[in-house]
Amino acid sequence: MTAELVRGQNHTLPQTRLEIRVSAGSPVVAGATLGDERGTVRGAEWIAHPASHRVPGLEVSRQAAADHRLAVDLDALPDEVHRVTVLLALPMGPGQPGRFGAVAAPFVAVTGLDGAEIATFTLTGLDTESAVSALELYRRHGVWKVRAVGQGYAAGLAEMLADQGVAGAAELAASIQEAVASGLARSVTPPPRTPGGERVGHSAGPTASAGPTASAGPSASAGPTPSAGNGRPPASAQVPEPVQPPEPPTAPTPPRTDTPGGPVSYAHPRRQASAPPPPPPTAPPAAPGQPAQPVAGDAAGWSMDERLYNQIWGMFEDLARAVAAYRSAADFAESRMDQELDRTLTDPRSRIGGAGDRAREEARAKRDELTGRAREALERDLAQLAAESAVVEPALPAAYAGWGNPVWHGYRVPMEMPMALRIGDIHLPEGTGLRIPLLVRLPLERGIWVDSGRTASEAAAATDGDQVRRQAMETAVALAARLLAVHPADEFSVHVIDPAGSAAGPLSPVVGSGVLAGPPAVGAHGVSSVLAHLTRRVDLVQMAVRAGAADALPPDLDTGEHLLIVNDFPHGFDDKAVTQLRYLADEGPAVGVHLLMVADREDARAYGPVLDPLWRSLLRITPVADDHLADPWVGHAWTYEPLRVPQGSRVLEQVLARVAAARRAGYR
């Protein structure tokens, strides 16, 4: 059973011969240090790194790579060693990412020699750091445990080694980077993520732990350390795409103090951090024996918008952990019943008479009792989250609110860009009535792909293919309208490529209001013209930024944010246009050019694997309900639903009209 660790959590190791597997989004340097009782590294001979890849009881890779396997034999370590710290660092040099915030979150797994995962940890929330202490194996009272650390260092490998007391840390770090540079050309690219956010090559099946600890859940009777084991989706199911929620800009998460086997805390860890002034709202005192009443903005942050953002992010995490605890307890109850039945059936005497029937009834009764108690705990958690949602939803600003929220009726064009935008809702099958807003940070860090193909979901199966395509374009138009609405009038432009002119109906709100930068481009000539214009903008801004000469940009260059809506890809695209589109997807977000693609991947199958990087670089959403998203904590398959304009409402047209009026007033 696998324990999914969070920062500060520990887990007992059942064996001493281990393998530590690392998967990252780009080549990284993997190493390890040996520490004494105080955690001090006594010398370079206690450090395993690519230039000296082997120390007693430990062996690491000799080069930077996207995937690593570190061999550990705890019994072979020197007697003075009480701690093994696994280190990750980014290679230095031209073309390297320079910070972990620019690459996918590294994934670390502690496994047995048979490959069975014991504990895993996804290092989310890294930003400017270029080196990180990922895990530490430590000995306490003769028992070895693993702890998730996730401590990053912006100054890199030298700062991390110095923090562990290594003499000559800067010189040693330089020698490690020099050894890495000689073998960097042999680095490999990591495989894509699979269902539940796991990477290809890990043990089969997404094994979610019981929330933040390995305990069975909120019910003490639910067993000691079961895993959630909610099962792998069928092979025909859509592959969940990992949702990496942005780390809120608040104080660092304090280490967890939950003890193994103890109750799971569903409180969002950052709600324990002290918030900067002004203080967040406080709930009125609760009656004895009753939970505290929820309050909108009950999270850390400098502004109300930031508090609401952090609160929604915390609700997302709380729901993931609560459902994981329930699934873990239910699976443990089922497993215990199976074990009791197996013991009963192995005794020949129980097969005769009523003893066997009584044993089966008792086993099923225990299973039902444990599952029922876990369900009661889940219902309490869901009720608390639902009450919080009922308070938070009416208090949301326009950028976080659904189209049915009254805040849109009083909409005014903002003077500055918000920190995030709501692009839909997500929910889990255990709490279908509880919707969590799906927020993405602004400016967009990656493009968005509205999948117009037929998926395996029930909603897609019940919808005609042409209707799915139309709804996909309507979803893109509504999303573009939201982006226009939350930006200042002169700081966001929308371009449209509709090669066959097939999206005239769904595009009518943005075309009729006059908010587009130009009429939708049609035909091959229109496609090449728009792509050439935006590619030129990306090239010029990149050159100006690199040269530190932003004032040298042409006066006719619009330096605001740009959104390109592409419909019916790859129709109307030649090889050059496809290359330009991939270039915009890769380089555009950093300089304010973003993609919003409406496409069916099957239509582009003739390109084969050439377009795989394009699809992976985009956040995939669907025009109908579909469970293709996964959280980074326990890998639940979350159902995504797009935001719909209420039937008969003119709110979309009214908002676009105000945006257009503000633009006209600004151009006078």
Side-chain angles (χ1 to χ4, degrees):
M1 293 177 289
T2 306
E4 292 270 359
L5 304 180
V6 298
R7 279 186 179 89
Q9 185 186 349
N10 59 59
H11 183 73
T12 302
L13 294 172
Q15 56 202 79
T16 56
R17 298 189 65 188
L18 307 164
E19 198 172 65
I20 299 175
R21 303 183 181 184
V22 179
S23 296
S26 66
V28 297
V29 182
T33 61
L34 308 182
D36 57 20
E37 288 183 282
R38 298 181 179 180
T40 302
V41 180
R42 296 187 178 180
E45 66 277 7
W46 274 23
I47 305 175
H49 53 82
S52 178
H53 72 285
R54 187 178 296 168
V55 298
L58 183 64
E59 184 173 352
V60 303
S61 305
R62 297 191 181 190
Q63 65 181 43
D67 293 274
H68 293 272
R69 293 192 176 189
L70 285 63
V72 181
D73 186 353
L74 299 175
D75 290 335
L77 295 173
D79 293 338
E80 302 84 6
V81 173
H82 288 258
R83 184 179 304 177
V84 178
T85 304
V86 178
L87 314 176
L88 302 179
L90 292 172
M92 306 303 292
Q96 300 301 326
R99 62 188 185 93
F100 276 106
V103 300
F107 175 89
V108 184
V110 180
T111 74
L113 297 184
D114 59 354
E117 289 182 348
I118 300 170
T120 63
F121 177 41
T122 302
L123 284 80
T124 58
L126 298 175
D127 187 9
T128 60
E129 300 88 345
S130 59
V132 60
S133 296
L135 294 175
E136 68 177 21
L137 314 179
Y138 64 97
R139 180 168 54 188
R140 181 163 298 169
H141 304 301
V143 177
W144 282 96
K145 298 183 179 182
V146 58
R147 178 188 289 121
V149 181
Q151 174 64 52
Y153 296 86
L157 190 57
E159 181 186 15
M160 180 166 57
L161 293 174
D163 191 45
Q164 297 191 29
V166 178
E171 294 77 7
L172 179 59
S175 67
I176 294 174
Q177 292 289 358
E178 183 178 356
V180 168
S182 64
L184 192 57
R186 300 190 295 274
S187 298
V188 298
T189 303
R193 288 184 180 271
T194 58
E198 294 182 335
R199 297 186 185 274
V200 176
H202 293 164
S203 61
T207 54
S209 75
T213 71
S215 70
S219 172
S221 62
T225 55
S227 66
N230 51 332
R232 178 181 290 275
S236 61
Q238 290 290 322
V239 175
E241 178 180 344
V243 178
Q244 297 292 343
E247 199 71 13
T250 58
T253 308
R256 293 192 57 86
T257 57
D258 300 26
T259 56
V264 175
S265 170
Y266 298 109
H268 183 246
R270 281 167 187 80
R271 297 179 188 174
Q272 305 302 320
S274 58
T282 57
Q290 297 297 322
Q293 295 299 314
V295 175
D298 183 19
W302 288 96
S303 65
M304 188 62 176
D305 286 2
E306 184 178 345
R307 292 169 187 165
L308 288 168
Y309 171 81
N310 291 343
Q311 187 172 13
I312 291 171
W313 190 82
M315 292 167 61
F316 177 31
E317 182 177 352
D318 290 347
L319 181 56
R321 289 173 167 174
V323 171
Y326 165 72
R327 292 180 180 178
S328 176
D331 287 347
F332 170 75
E334 196 74 29
S335 174
R336 195 171 85 166
M337 182 191 71
D338 292 341
Q339 293 175 3
E340 291 179 354
L341 291 178
D342 288 343
R343 287 195 297 268
T344 300
L345 295 176
T346 55
D347 187 356
R349 294 172 296 180
S350 64
R351 303 177 189 175
I352 303 174
D357 294 337
R358 287 192 299 273
R360 280 187 284 269
E361 291 176 1
E362 291 175 358
R364 293 191 182 101
K366 291 179 183 177
R367 185 271 314 271
D368 294 342
E369 179 188 2
L370 293 178
T371 304
R373 293 174 65 179
R375 185 70 201 189
E376 290 176 3
L378 175 64
E379 292 294 344
R380 289 194 300 270
D381 295 326
L382 292 178
Q384 184 176 356
L385 284 170
E388 187 174 9
S389 177
V391 172
V392 169
E393 279 287 350
L396 295 178
Y400 301 175
W403 287 114
N405 193 308
V407 71
W408 285 106
H409 297 295
Y411 166 76
R412 294 291 182 272
V413 177
M415 300 299 293
E416 60 181 14
M417 178 185 65
M419 66 179 299
L421 178 74
R422 185 174 184 170
I423 64 171
D425 293 333
I426 52 177
H427 62 84
L428 291 172
E430 285 82 356
T432 54
L434 179 60
R435 299 294 196 271
I436 304 295
L438 179 59
L439 304 180
V440 295
R441 292 296 293 267
L442 294 180
L444 294 173
E445 299 175 353
R446 60 192 296 201
I448 297 176
W449 163 33
V450 185
D451 191 351
S452 60
R454 299 295 295 273
T455 65
S457 68
E458 294 182 4
T463 309
D464 179 75
D466 293 337
Q467 187 177 356
V468 171
R469 290 178 180 270
R470 181 180 179 86
Q471 290 181 358
M473 195 60 198
E474 291 174 347
T475 300
V477 169
L479 184 53
R482 295 179 69 86
L483 285 164
L484 281 164
V486 302
H487 283 81
D490 57 346
E491 294 185 9
F492 196 85
S493 301
V494 177
H495 311 260
V496 176
I497 290 179
D498 185 21
S502 59
L507 284 171
S508 59
V510 289
V511 173
S513 62
V515 295
L516 295 181
V522 296
H525 175 72
V527 171
S528 61
S529 176
V530 173
L531 290 176
H533 169 70
L534 293 177
T535 301
R536 172 179 175 270
R537 183 196 176 281
V538 171
D539 289 340
L540 290 175
V541 175
Q542 280 188 336
M543 287 189 292
V545 170
R546 290 168 182 167
D551 55 349
L553 289 170
D556 62 336
L557 188 74
D558 183 2
T559 57
E561 299 285 311
H562 291 256
L563 177 72
L564 174 59
I565 302 177
V566 179
N567 182 45
D568 212 14
F569 177 80
H571 181 77
F573 282 72
D574 56 18
D575 290 344
K576 179 181 178 181
V578 170
T579 301
Q580 288 176 317
L581 190 70
R582 289 185 55 188
Y583 175 73
L584 292 178
D586 293 338
E587 305 294 335
V591 291
V593 177
H594 313 283
L595 280 185
L596 177 54
M597 288 187 58
V598 180
D600 181 358
R601 190 169 183 173
E602 284 299 309
D603 293 342
R605 62 182 179 275
Y607 287 92
V610 173
L611 291 181
D612 285 351
L614 173 64
W615 304 119
R616 288 199 296 266
S617 70
L618 303 173
L619 172 62
R620 174 177 172 260
I621 61 175
T622 52
V624 295
D626 187 77
D627 59 347
H628 66 281
L629 296 176
D631 65 74
W633 301 288
V634 289
H636 293 320
W638 292 75
T639 297
Y640 167 84
E641 291 187 8
L643 297 174
R644 301 286 186 197
V645 177
Q647 188 72 23
S649 173
R650 301 284 299 172
V651 64
L652 181 62
E653 290 78 4
Q654 293 169 2
V655 168
L656 291 175
R658 291 175 183 172
V659 172
R663 292 191 169 197
R664 289 192 297 268
Y667 293 148
R668 290 173 185 170

